[in-house]
Amino acid sequence: MKVVVTDVVFDPYAEVQKYQAGLKSGQSGGVVSFVGTMRNFNDGHEVSTMWLDHYPGMTEKHIEKVCEEALERWNIIGVLVVHRVGEIKPDESIVLVATWSAHRAEAFDSSRFVINYLKKRAPFWKRESTNKGQRWVEHNTEDSAADISN
């Protein structure tokens, strides 16, 4: 398991390859990765940049806890989360969640579980710069698939 919160632009596919190189060879039959990128619109406004803030130490602990829960709930081999903070521009990667398992179903389910947690409950605060000025984002865009209870 690896959790990184960074203010540096990252290449999610290079991160997946780097993490996978550290796993025991021949054990995973499936890798599921999700990469979230910044849109240039939200709630009817153009968005030029987004500022993501977090509480260092606390945020990482929350994410590590949900990754540990995923490792307990599914038969997965590895979990990788990389999350950006600071100023983010459209098309830049915001988040990477990747899970490795012997079978695809567990890789899909565990990856969905972790990203849904990040979307719904992870302690991040977002401020957008829009064509109407700056605003704090009070909630994420509704996503009916983001129910983390299953």
Side-chain angles (χ1 to χ4, degrees):
M1 174 180 78
K2 182 177 179 183
V3 172
V4 176
V5 176
T6 180
D7 62 357
V8 176
V9 175
F10 66 94
D11 176 349
Y13 307 104
E15 295 293 332
V16 167
Q17 288 182 327
K18 189 168 39 174
Y19 184 84
Q20 186 165 323
L23 295 176
K24 191 173 179 180
S25 179
Q27 300 297 302
S28 64
V31 181
V32 171
S33 62
F34 172 83
V35 178
T37 57
M38 188 190 145
R39 295 183 306 256
N40 65 357
F41 64 93
N42 191 28
D43 289 337
H45 296 282
E46 293 177 26
V47 179
S48 58
T49 61
M50 177 172 63
W51 182 267
L52 260 179
D53 211 346
H54 77 302
Y55 190 80
M58 181 186 80
T59 300
E60 290 87 343
K61 284 183 182 176
H62 277 262
I63 298 170
E64 288 168 2
K65 186 174 176 184
V66 78
C67 290
E68 288 169 1
E69 187 174 339
L71 285 162
E72 290 173 8
R73 290 176 71 168
W74 289 277
N75 189 18
I76 54 177
I77 298 162
V79 181
L80 170 64
V81 174
V82 181
H83 207 297
R84 281 281 307 280
V85 292
E87 185 178 80
I88 303 170
K89 297 175 183 164
D91 296 328
E92 288 183 352
S93 298
I94 299 172
V95 62
L96 162 68
V97 172
T99 60
W100 285 257
S101 179
H103 304 286
R104 69 180 178 269
E106 292 169 307
F108 274 113
D109 291 347
S110 59
S111 183
R112 181 178 300 114
F113 173 77
V114 174
I115 192 62
N116 286 347
Y117 165 81
L118 292 171
K119 186 166 178 69
K120 289 270 195 177
R121 297 192 184 159
F124 290 101
W125 297 269
K126 298 177 189 174
R127 187 182 68 225
E128 295 175 335
S129 295
T130 75
N131 55 340
K132 302 287 184 185
Q134 291 192 340
R135 65 182 180 185
W136 286 98
V137 177
E138 294 183 20
H139 58 85
N140 280 314
T141 305
E142 284 300 316
D143 182 352
S144 60
D147 181 5
I148 63 171
S149 61
N150 53 1

